[in-house]
Short mmCIF file of all heavy atoms in Angstrom, two decimals:
data_model
loop_
_atom_site.label_atom_id
_atom_site.label_comp_id
_atom_site.label_asym_id
_atom_site.label_seq_id
_atom_site.Cartn_x
_atom_site.Cartn_y
_atom_site.Cartn_z
N GLY A 481 -27.91 8.28 -37.11
CA GLY A 481 -28.04 8.50 -38.57
C GLY A 481 -27.53 9.85 -39.05
O GLY A 481 -27.88 10.34 -40.11
N LEU A 482 -26.64 10.46 -38.19
CA LEU A 482 -26.08 11.77 -38.58
C LEU A 482 -24.70 11.56 -39.16
O LEU A 482 -23.91 10.70 -38.72
CB LEU A 482 -26.03 12.67 -37.34
CG LEU A 482 -27.42 13.06 -36.78
CD1 LEU A 482 -27.31 13.66 -35.41
CD2 LEU A 482 -28.12 14.00 -37.76
N ARG A 483 -24.37 12.38 -40.19
CA ARG A 483 -23.07 12.25 -40.86
C ARG A 483 -22.08 13.28 -40.33
O ARG A 483 -22.43 14.44 -40.03
CB ARG A 483 -23.25 12.44 -42.36
CG ARG A 483 -24.05 11.32 -43.04
CD ARG A 483 -24.56 11.79 -44.38
NE ARG A 483 -25.30 13.08 -44.22
CZ ARG A 483 -25.52 13.96 -45.18
NH1 ARG A 483 -25.08 13.71 -46.39
NH2 ARG A 483 -26.17 15.09 -44.93
N VAL A 484 -20.80 12.85 -40.19
CA VAL A 484 -19.74 13.71 -39.81
C VAL A 484 -18.81 13.88 -41.03
O VAL A 484 -18.38 12.91 -41.63
CB VAL A 484 -18.91 13.13 -38.65
CG1 VAL A 484 -17.72 14.00 -38.28
CG2 VAL A 484 -19.81 12.90 -37.42
N PRO A 485 -18.49 15.10 -41.49
CA PRO A 485 -18.83 16.41 -40.93
C PRO A 485 -20.12 17.03 -41.51
O PRO A 485 -20.44 18.17 -41.14
CB PRO A 485 -17.62 17.25 -41.28
CG PRO A 485 -17.22 16.71 -42.63
CD PRO A 485 -17.56 15.27 -42.62
N GLU A 486 -20.80 16.37 -42.47
CA GLU A 486 -21.89 17.01 -43.22
C GLU A 486 -22.98 17.55 -42.26
O GLU A 486 -23.43 18.66 -42.42
CB GLU A 486 -22.53 16.01 -44.21
CG GLU A 486 -21.61 15.61 -45.35
CD GLU A 486 -20.70 14.46 -44.99
OE1 GLU A 486 -20.63 14.10 -43.79
OE2 GLU A 486 -20.04 13.91 -45.90
N ASP A 487 -23.39 16.73 -41.26
CA ASP A 487 -24.41 17.17 -40.34
C ASP A 487 -23.82 17.86 -39.10
O ASP A 487 -24.41 18.73 -38.52
CB ASP A 487 -25.26 15.96 -39.93
CG ASP A 487 -25.99 15.35 -41.11
OD1 ASP A 487 -26.50 16.13 -41.98
OD2 ASP A 487 -26.03 14.12 -41.23
N LEU A 488 -22.64 17.36 -38.73
CA LEU A 488 -22.00 17.87 -37.49
C LEU A 488 -20.51 17.68 -37.59
O LEU A 488 -20.04 16.60 -37.93
CB LEU A 488 -22.52 17.08 -36.29
CG LEU A 488 -23.45 17.78 -35.32
CD1 LEU A 488 -24.26 16.75 -34.56
CD2 LEU A 488 -22.68 18.63 -34.35
N ALA A 489 -19.75 18.72 -37.30
CA ALA A 489 -18.27 18.59 -37.30
C ALA A 489 -17.81 18.19 -35.89
O ALA A 489 -18.45 18.53 -34.92
CB ALA A 489 -17.66 19.93 -37.70
N VAL A 490 -16.68 17.44 -35.84
CA VAL A 490 -16.15 17.00 -34.56
C VAL A 490 -14.67 17.29 -34.50
O VAL A 490 -13.94 17.02 -35.45
CB VAL A 490 -16.39 15.49 -34.38
CG1 VAL A 490 -15.79 14.99 -33.04
CG2 VAL A 490 -17.88 15.14 -34.41
N VAL A 491 -14.22 17.84 -33.38
CA VAL A 491 -12.77 18.07 -33.12
C VAL A 491 -12.46 17.43 -31.78
O VAL A 491 -13.21 17.61 -30.81
CB VAL A 491 -12.39 19.54 -33.14
CG1 VAL A 491 -10.94 19.71 -32.71
CG2 VAL A 491 -12.64 20.15 -34.50
N GLY A 492 -11.33 16.68 -31.73
CA GLY A 492 -10.91 16.08 -30.50
C GLY A 492 -9.61 16.67 -29.97
O GLY A 492 -9.26 17.77 -30.34
N PHE A 493 -8.93 15.97 -29.11
CA PHE A 493 -7.74 16.47 -28.48
C PHE A 493 -6.87 15.27 -28.06
O PHE A 493 -7.39 14.36 -27.42
CB PHE A 493 -8.12 17.25 -27.20
CG PHE A 493 -7.12 18.34 -26.78
CD1 PHE A 493 -7.42 19.68 -26.93
CD2 PHE A 493 -5.88 17.96 -26.27
CE1 PHE A 493 -6.48 20.67 -26.55
CE2 PHE A 493 -4.98 18.92 -25.88
CZ PHE A 493 -5.27 20.30 -26.03
N ASP A 494 -5.60 15.25 -28.44
CA ASP A 494 -4.64 14.23 -28.01
C ASP A 494 -3.92 13.60 -29.23
O ASP A 494 -2.81 13.08 -29.09
CB ASP A 494 -5.20 13.09 -27.21
CG ASP A 494 -5.48 13.44 -25.78
OD1 ASP A 494 -5.02 14.50 -25.33
OD2 ASP A 494 -6.16 12.67 -25.09
N ASP A 495 -4.56 13.56 -30.39
CA ASP A 495 -4.02 12.91 -31.58
C ASP A 495 -3.60 11.46 -31.28
O ASP A 495 -2.45 11.10 -31.53
CB ASP A 495 -2.86 13.71 -32.15
CG ASP A 495 -2.44 13.21 -33.56
OD1 ASP A 495 -3.24 12.50 -34.17
OD2 ASP A 495 -1.33 13.57 -33.99
N ILE A 496 -4.51 10.66 -30.76
CA ILE A 496 -4.16 9.25 -30.60
C ILE A 496 -4.28 8.57 -31.95
O ILE A 496 -5.01 9.03 -32.85
CB ILE A 496 -5.13 8.56 -29.58
CG1 ILE A 496 -6.58 8.58 -30.03
CG2 ILE A 496 -4.97 9.19 -28.20
CD1 ILE A 496 -7.52 7.80 -29.13
N GLU A 497 -3.55 7.45 -32.10
CA GLU A 497 -3.46 6.81 -33.41
C GLU A 497 -4.81 6.44 -33.94
O GLU A 497 -5.11 6.49 -35.15
CB GLU A 497 -2.55 5.56 -33.32
CG GLU A 497 -2.28 4.97 -34.67
CD GLU A 497 -1.34 3.76 -34.65
OE1 GLU A 497 -0.13 3.98 -34.33
OE2 GLU A 497 -1.80 2.64 -34.90
N GLU A 498 -5.69 5.97 -33.03
CA GLU A 498 -7.06 5.56 -33.42
C GLU A 498 -7.78 6.59 -34.27
O GLU A 498 -8.50 6.23 -35.23
CB GLU A 498 -7.82 5.34 -32.12
CG GLU A 498 -9.22 4.84 -32.21
CD GLU A 498 -9.81 4.56 -30.83
OE1 GLU A 498 -9.06 4.53 -29.83
OE2 GLU A 498 -11.03 4.40 -30.77
N GLY A 499 -7.58 7.90 -33.95
CA GLY A 499 -8.27 8.94 -34.71
C GLY A 499 -7.75 9.16 -36.09
O GLY A 499 -8.37 9.86 -36.90
N ARG A 500 -6.54 8.57 -36.36
CA ARG A 500 -6.00 8.69 -37.73
C ARG A 500 -6.58 7.64 -38.65
O ARG A 500 -6.36 7.65 -39.84
CB ARG A 500 -4.47 8.57 -37.68
CG ARG A 500 -3.81 9.74 -36.99
CD ARG A 500 -2.31 9.50 -36.82
NE ARG A 500 -1.91 9.89 -35.46
CZ ARG A 500 -0.81 9.50 -34.85
NH1 ARG A 500 0.05 8.71 -35.46
NH2 ARG A 500 -0.56 9.89 -33.61
N TYR A 501 -7.24 6.63 -38.04
CA TYR A 501 -7.81 5.49 -38.81
C TYR A 501 -9.30 5.38 -38.66
O TYR A 501 -9.94 4.50 -39.29
CB TYR A 501 -7.12 4.20 -38.38
CG TYR A 501 -5.69 4.14 -38.82
CD1 TYR A 501 -4.69 4.71 -38.00
CD2 TYR A 501 -5.31 3.57 -40.02
CE1 TYR A 501 -3.34 4.67 -38.40
CE2 TYR A 501 -3.97 3.54 -40.40
CZ TYR A 501 -3.00 4.10 -39.60
OH TYR A 501 -1.71 4.06 -40.04
N SER A 502 -9.91 6.21 -37.82
CA SER A 502 -11.34 6.13 -37.65
C SER A 502 -12.07 6.60 -38.93
O SER A 502 -11.43 7.24 -39.78
CB SER A 502 -11.79 6.98 -36.46
OG SER A 502 -11.37 8.35 -36.69
N THR A 503 -13.34 6.27 -39.03
CA THR A 503 -14.15 6.75 -40.17
C THR A 503 -15.24 7.64 -39.65
O THR A 503 -16.09 7.16 -38.93
CB THR A 503 -14.74 5.55 -40.97
OG1 THR A 503 -13.68 4.70 -41.35
CG2 THR A 503 -15.53 6.04 -42.17
#
Side-chain angles (χ1 to χ4, degrees):
Chain A
L482 295 167
R483 293 161 307 158
V484 177
E486 295 83 349
D487 298 318
L488 251 157
V490 178
V491 174
F493 205 110
D494 284 348
D495 193 16
I496 63 174
E497 188 178 292
E498 182 176 347
R500 292 173 224 161
Y501 291 85
S502 58
T503 303

